[in-house]
Amino acid sequence: MANIAKKVSWSGKNEESRGEETPLLNGSEEVRSSRQLSGAPIFHVGRLSTVDLEDDITTEEDPVRSRPKEIPHNEKLLSLKFESLDYDNSENQLFLEEERRMSHMSFRCLEISRWVICGLIGVFTGLIACFIDIMVETLAGIKYYVVKENIEKFTEVGGLYISLILWAVLNSAFVMVGAIIVACFEPIAAGSGIPQIKCYLNGVKIPRVVRLKTLVVKVCGVICSVAGGLAVGKEGPMIHSGAVVAAGVSQGRSTSLKKDFKIFEYFRRDTEKRDFVSAGAAAGVSAAFGAPVGGVLFSLEEGASFWNQMLTWRIFFASMISTFTLNFFLSVYHGKTGELSSPGLINFGSFDLESVQYNLYEIPLFICMGAIGGLLGALFNVLNYWLTIFRIRYVHRPCLQVMEAMLVAAVTAAVSFAMIYTSNDCQPLKMESSDEYPLQLFCADGEYNAMATAFFNTPERSVRSLFHNPPGTYNPQTLGYFTLTYFLLACWTYGLTVSAGVFIPSLLIGAAWGRLFGILLSYMTNSKSIWADPGKYALMGAAAQLGGIVRMTLSLTVILVEATGNVTYGLPIMLVLMTAKIVGDYFIEGLYDIHIKLQSVPFLHWEAPATSHWLTAREVMSSPVTCFNRLEKVGTIVDVLSNTATNHNGFPVIVRAGATDIGEEGGKLCGLILRSQLIVLLKHKVFVERAQSRLSLRKLQLKDFRDAYPRFPPIQSIHVSQDERECMMDLSEFMNPTPYTVPQETSLPRVFKLFRALGLRHLVVVDDENKVVGLVTRKDLARYHLGKHGLEELQLAQT
Amino acid sequence: MANIAKKVSWSGKNEESRGEETPLLNGSEEVRSSRQLSGAPIFHVGRLSTVDLEDDITTEEDPVRSRPKEIPHNEKLLSLKFESLDYDNSENQLFLEEERRMSHMSFRCLEISRWVICGLIGVFTGLIACFIDIMVETLAGIKYYVVKENIEKFTEVGGLYISLILWAVLNSAFVMVGAIIVACFEPIAAGSGIPQIKCYLNGVKIPRVVRLKTLVVKVCGVICSVAGGLAVGKEGPMIHSGAVVAAGVSQGRSTSLKKDFKIFEYFRRDTEKRDFVSAGAAAGVSAAFGAPVGGVLFSLEEGASFWNQMLTWRIFFASMISTFTLNFFLSVYHGKTGELSSPGLINFGSFDLESVQYNLYEIPLFICMGAIGGLLGALFNVLNYWLTIFRIRYVHRPCLQVMEAMLVAAVTAAVSFAMIYTSNDCQPLKMESSDEYPLQLFCADGEYNAMATAFFNTPERSVRSLFHNPPGTYNPQTLGYFTLTYFLLACWTYGLTVSAGVFIPSLLIGAAWGRLFGILLSYMTNSKSIWADPGKYALMGAAAQLGGIVRMTLSLTVILVEATGNVTYGLPIMLVLMTAKIVGDYFIEGLYDIHIKLQSVPFLHWEAPATSHWLTAREVMSSPVTCFNRLEKVGTIVDVLSNTATNHNGFPVIVRAGATDIGEEGGKLCGLILRSQLIVLLKHKVFVERAQSRLSLRKLQLKDFRDAYPRFPPIQSIHVSQDERECMMDLSEFMNPTPYTVPQETSLPRVFKLFRALGLRHLVVVDDENKVVGLVTRKDLARYHLGKHGLEELQLAQT
């Protein structure tokens, strides 16, 4: 079976409990084939048959060198490896009893604790951002100081290659540390973490993504990679960090540290946790860009399925606290207590009120810039896509990954050095320059090298210089060369095994060509007065480039508006981002979506594909379904759970109509029970016989489920004796007695809407007698997508 | 039956088709009583029994004067008069066939037309805002010029009472025109329209709220009332105007003008229309405050149930276009083409970058101001609540309403005049003053009367003066008196039969006491330098007062931040609004919610009451349900539809299990059909017999339903002959074959979540054999709310 692909996943190493390669769902091939018959005749399914697939491989690769059992890249597959989060509460009897016992006051206390948690999330996220900022500034300051001293020394006596080596070695050393901790300890901490958080908020459980270890590695990794001079930013990882903080704080314990504070136990379930993770992600955005509203919109744009007013308000609170904490501690650190002047990690600086005005005739120019940004963004994404496929194929061993990262660091230093060395763009030194490390190099006294402003600096400072330095600070040539080199460097860097974001490099590339655009405009029209401010074009270019790469829209507009601290640019930024998105989408998807697809994550979009009304639940659902009886034998349950071939997570509970009709196909649905619940039941040996013989004195409580959450033990670790296998389990009390159901004739968009709006994990399909006929899960819905030739169906793969 | 209340509704006059008073749902009393038995024992229902009710009346009112059949105020009732909008598509065969016929390209065209419509909504809303602004400025300019000339003339010669009379007469004249058109032509256009739009977006059909006539009356009315010098703003009505524009444009026709452009026919259903109305409301906010992001958040906060990324992005687009249109045309009008300096109707002016800094130790002060705002807001709401009840009881004849409005206008002028006359706060005249009509009155030459700046001005200008005039421009006494009088005037004014908003008066009251607060602070601390800028406190006071009255949170923060054009104040504004909301909620609800409750609208909040897990669908649902068979006799259908006692709008379609079991209770659910669909079927006489005899040549299409939307004829207007009554109708093709269902045991929060998230109108409750046992509609859910003593149940009233 060629479609069992083995590949380097986000998690880097296989989960212990499911390390073995398992065959596809029993009988799923048959089911799928029969679907084709029942499907509507016009419906075009772009199925990759096994033959097609092998054809692909043989035509693309040298048949000798290729590993025939591997699929080179698999955005045409959907992985079954990822599990879903349950946004729908399992309202079983235990839960209802607890809720009913709770007074009005307890609900109010819960509400207050939610606010407290959001406040804490904000504070911790702000502190982490603060820590990262101070560490990066300190380390980068030392590095640039050392290199600058060295360069100045050797500029006079000759032998600048020593400075180059020093610079390259320093960079590589930092990056090596960063890459090693990521590659060896926590591969999930690589990259910006935004795709992973997007998936998490979408309802996909990405293993280890919100663990404490991930956070530690992420924070250290991002400090190293930014200090190591890579073309990366420290903003993207803040979103991931905020999410981890939220997941940790809201649970009131750390499973890794084996420390349980015995608080917030009510929130130990997917529903509540996901809400807090939204808040954490928003707090991260807020701390990164000083954009609390942008953070809220980011969370909503990426995560929300059901908009809830109170939740949104709490998210906003977390965001506000986060940016405030960062602001406060940074201003204390900078010795300006109480001034609150740095609301975010990146600060675009305040645009002059005079210069922020734009004229109506500039709007077409902005739209034009948006189109350029879309094109360049698509180019960036295509290059990065190829590179990622190359990496998936050839660079999947940790040592190779570390070496690649070090290579990139050294090359970055070398290229920067070469650019600075060959540049002859000297500018007079000004006292109020925002650039902290002006390099004189071969310039006359009192002048500095303009190329060095862009390269010999942290990217955040470079962006700010491009936005705010007065007209004439940069030569067009300098900007042109800089754009080109930095574009390639950033493209190479994204996807390395280091913690780093792509926001700032994108902004920097865009700001550079945007400023160039502005300068060229003023050359062409020969009227310096009108186009006096290239900083405005730098801002639009930055927006266009970032929009072209990540394709975020609403939240990005607000983030940029908030980061500039001025609402006047709202409309042009929105137009630029929209154009960039439309142009870019014509060629290829956004960067994050590419990486999500390459991981074959069953990601649910906002709506079902437009042309999917042909499909009904009957065609979409998985069947036959493994069901349990209300009173089920322990042995049966253990066998079903141990079956690695199916690995189901939810089981409808049925009542057979009359005890006589044993042979009858299916039974009436009376509930739904989850694997995790069954595991807890088995662990506590909640058997009917034991209850009758009073062996188990204590009644199982919701607390037992909460204690086991979220790391439920695998079935293999639970010992069930041969005697116990003959016992019976009564599931009535623990199953969800009112699962959502749909009839078989329901159209796919309708199923999709229900599933997405309520954040379901399992949706039972019943016939007109309420008998179970199938089960719809995330992968059944995520499988369909609109391709070039209409509706396409993705293959399912076990890995 | 005392709970059949007759009252003055928003619509002012009774709907033609349901003018007669109808008894309560058949048997509903029995159902309700039996519920008490099955309900959980601890569950406390604050039922108003008939006896309680009459007690209330007799203790409160003189028994002779009271009209015994009327309930004085009815926030304890839920009206059955309001129908729901259907946010869930009826996916019947016709619909599915149409969708399946559509190619990928047609879906793309639809998507593009959605964008075009949103653009148009933005343009028209912006133009309307522009028109209102210009008209108000012109009329108010003339009025103030005339009065000012007159005052100056009589200040010297004595006899100022003539000026007073002139002012009062001018005001009353304007207001009379405004009140007459509202009271006589379209009573729904009264007030700000925000409560009505809130209800509409929530899914309640408010009669005539989005009609063209309403828009015309609203626009003229708001011009008159603002020009008439009432303590009102023109911003709130913009939201209503935007919504009407959206409803009109998106349907591609005007039923009132009998003009059908034959475009956008696809959008002629509740789902699509509601989406566009959200965009319209957002565009309205955006035009009013120059706050596009705030507009989006307003729409989401008030309306959205299911967050959809593309929809939000379109809403944002409409908002952006709207503020841009307004900005562009206003700048053209003011002769500064291309400068784009007035993004909204109200412009707070730009706060100096120096003065916007706040210090950490000021935050407790801001929170304190928030608490004051909450208190004053609650006081405002309580006073207005009493006033509204008074109005409902005694002022419900149009002529009385017009007279009251005129009285308020005259009193406003008189009080203003008296305040100005008695004030001795003279300030030196400055050239750059933002005040256009400085009154010298009894001041020395080169000075002006400070009280007149606040009173003798449009409220927008007054707000701006309070925010930006330099320290020392106002005496504390002036501000104190002004706050007091304006508070009372604004409270009296809100709820008059004129089109007007409460935003600006609230801001003005708050700005006044906020500035006073700032001045007192600087007095107390004797250090003028630190508290130099009372404008900052004016802003916080304005936020606190507005928050205390309307209790909006997220959107209001963003609106205020955008209106000030500066994000630095984000955190303090949020804290102030939060405090104001918490403090205010302790006493009474927000102003809009009070008015919604007084109209007994079945408004669904975000979540079910916290302590409602006791209740299940069985207790909540209405039963028995009127069902139809798949093949139903026309006579039966007509009889059911004509039954004014029930007036149901949705009917489950059932199949009886085997034709033999006629006596069997209930049948298996196989679909759901709406009253409106049945009406269209009856109108087109889609009978089985006619189809067989080929009498009706044309097959009924979706177009026929769309043409009838939204004003479906009443059943009385459809003639069905005695022969036709014997015919049969086949509902299979027209019913929704896959309605959402829940089992009887489902808890109320779960039912609520499904209902709210999917925007349902009918939710069928089935037993475990898929037989219909009940129907949950909006009123069944809206009935439960958390009162002082736990969960309470509202009574249902037919009016």
Side-chain angles (χ1 to χ4, degrees), chain A residues 502-716:
Chain A
V502 76
F503 267 71
I504 299 298
S506 311
L507 287 174
L508 189 49
I509 298 165
W513 67 253
R515 201 175 170 101
L516 180 63
F517 188 92
I519 294 174
L520 293 182
L521 266 183
S522 68
Y523 279 176
M524 281 195 295
T525 54
N526 278 326
S527 54
K528 291 221 169 188
S529 61
I530 300 182
W531 317 97
D533 185 34
K536 178 164 53 179
Y537 292 95
L539 177 63
M540 291 302 149
Q545 184 67 50
L546 184 53
I549 290 175
V550 302
R551 311 282 163 76
M552 277 151 54
T553 45
L554 182 59
S555 54
L556 204 52
T557 309
V558 178
I559 289 173
L560 290 176
V561 166
E562 287 192 290
T564 56
N566 197 296
V567 295
T568 324
Y569 279 140
L571 182 71
I573 287 180
M574 192 193 75
L575 289 175
V576 160
L577 286 175
M578 243 165 89
T579 321
K581 183 175 165 62
I582 292 169
V583 171
D585 277 348
Y586 185 79
F587 297 101
I588 191 170
E589 287 175 289
L591 190 61
Y592 299 138
D593 296 315
I594 291 175
H595 282 257
I596 288 174
K597 269 208 173 170
L598 281 173
Q599 297 297 335
S600 310
V601 178
F603 192 87
L604 287 189
H605 291 278
W606 292 98
E607 280 171 348
T611 53
S612 61
H613 274 97
W614 280 115
L615 288 166
T616 65
R618 190 186 288 112
E619 279 116 31
V620 169
M621 70 191 184
S622 303
S623 86
V625 187
T626 316
C627 296
F628 288 129
N629 289 311
R630 211 184 245 274
L631 259 179
E632 188 63 84
K633 239 176 76 179
V634 173
T636 319
I637 294 178
V638 173
D639 289 345
V640 168
L641 291 186
S642 310
N643 184 352
T644 50
T646 54
N647 218 345
H648 292 315
N649 282 297
F651 304 91
V653 180
I654 54 174
V655 179
R656 306 216 182 256
T660 50
D661 307 343
I662 295 172
E664 199 188 19
E665 180 72 40
K668 285 196 195 309
L669 176 73
C670 70
L672 182 80
I673 196 153
L674 301 176
R675 168 184 287 264
S676 57
Q677 293 173 323
L678 288 172
I679 296 253
V680 174
L681 293 183
L682 286 174
K683 205 175 132 200
H684 289 83
K685 307 207 182 296
V686 187
F687 307 144
V688 176
E689 286 76 7
R690 286 169 66 94
Q692 284 165 351
S693 59
R694 303 209 180 160
L695 272 174
S696 63
L697 292 171
R698 195 172 64 85
K699 200 166 164 290
L700 203 66
Q701 286 176 321
L702 218 47
K703 193 181 170 304
D704 300 299
F705 292 94
R706 284 182 185 147
D707 285 345
Y709 177 83
R711 304 192 197 171
F712 297 102
I715 180 72
Q716 289 80 6

Side-chain angles (χ1 to χ4, degrees), chain A residues 91 99 309 606 613 747, chain B residues 91 99 308-309 606 613 747:
Chain A
E91 290 203 338
E99 294 280 307
Q309 200 180 20
W606 292 98
H613 274 97
S747 69
Chain B
E91 290 204 337
E99 293 280 308
N308 182 309
Q309 200 180 20
W606 292 99
H613 275 97
S747 70

Side-chain angles (χ1 to χ4, degrees), chain A residues 743-746 750 767-769, chain B residues 90-93 627-632 651-657 666-673 730-741 764-766 769-773:
Chain A
Q744 299 174 79
E745 298 79 27
T746 317
R750 205 171 168 80
D767 65 7
D768 58 0
E769 292 195 310
Chain B
S90 174
E91 290 204 337
N92 56 21
Q93 276 186 37
C627 297
F628 288 129
N629 290 309
R630 212 183 244 276
L631 261 178
E632 188 62 86
F651 305 92
V653 180
I654 54 174
V655 180
R656 308 216 180 254
K668 286 196 196 303
L669 176 72
C670 70
L672 182 79
I673 196 152
D730 185 359
L731 306 179
S732 319
E733 212 177 339
F734 310 105
M735 69 186 185
N736 178 0
T738 53
Y740 294 111
T741 59
V764 186
V765 183
V766 293
E769 292 195 311
N770 206 26
K771 285 183 183 160
V772 179
V773 292

Side-chain angles (χ1 to χ4, degrees), chain A residues 88 91 99-100 300-301 307-309 324 328 338-339 357 359-360 571 606-607 613 738 747 750, chain B residues 88 91 99-100 300-301 307-309 324 328 338-339 357 359-360 571 606-607 613 738 747 750:
Chain A
D88 182 41
E91 290 203 338
E99 294 280 307
R100 284 166 191 168
L300 292 172
E301 195 167 351
W307 163 283
N308 182 310
Q309 200 180 20
F324 181 78
F328 179 71
E339 267 202 14
Q357 294 294 350
N359 272 300
L360 199 60
L571 182 71
W606 292 98
E607 280 171 348
H613 274 97
T738 52
S747 69
R750 205 171 168 80
Chain B
D88 181 42
E91 290 204 337
E99 293 280 308
R100 285 167 190 166
L300 292 172
E301 195 167 351
W307 164 282
N308 182 309
Q309 200 180 20
F324 180 78
F328 178 72
E339 266 200 18
Q357 293 296 348
N359 273 298
L360 200 60
L571 182 71
W606 292 99
E607 281 172 347
H613 275 97
T738 53
S747 70
R750 205 172 167 80

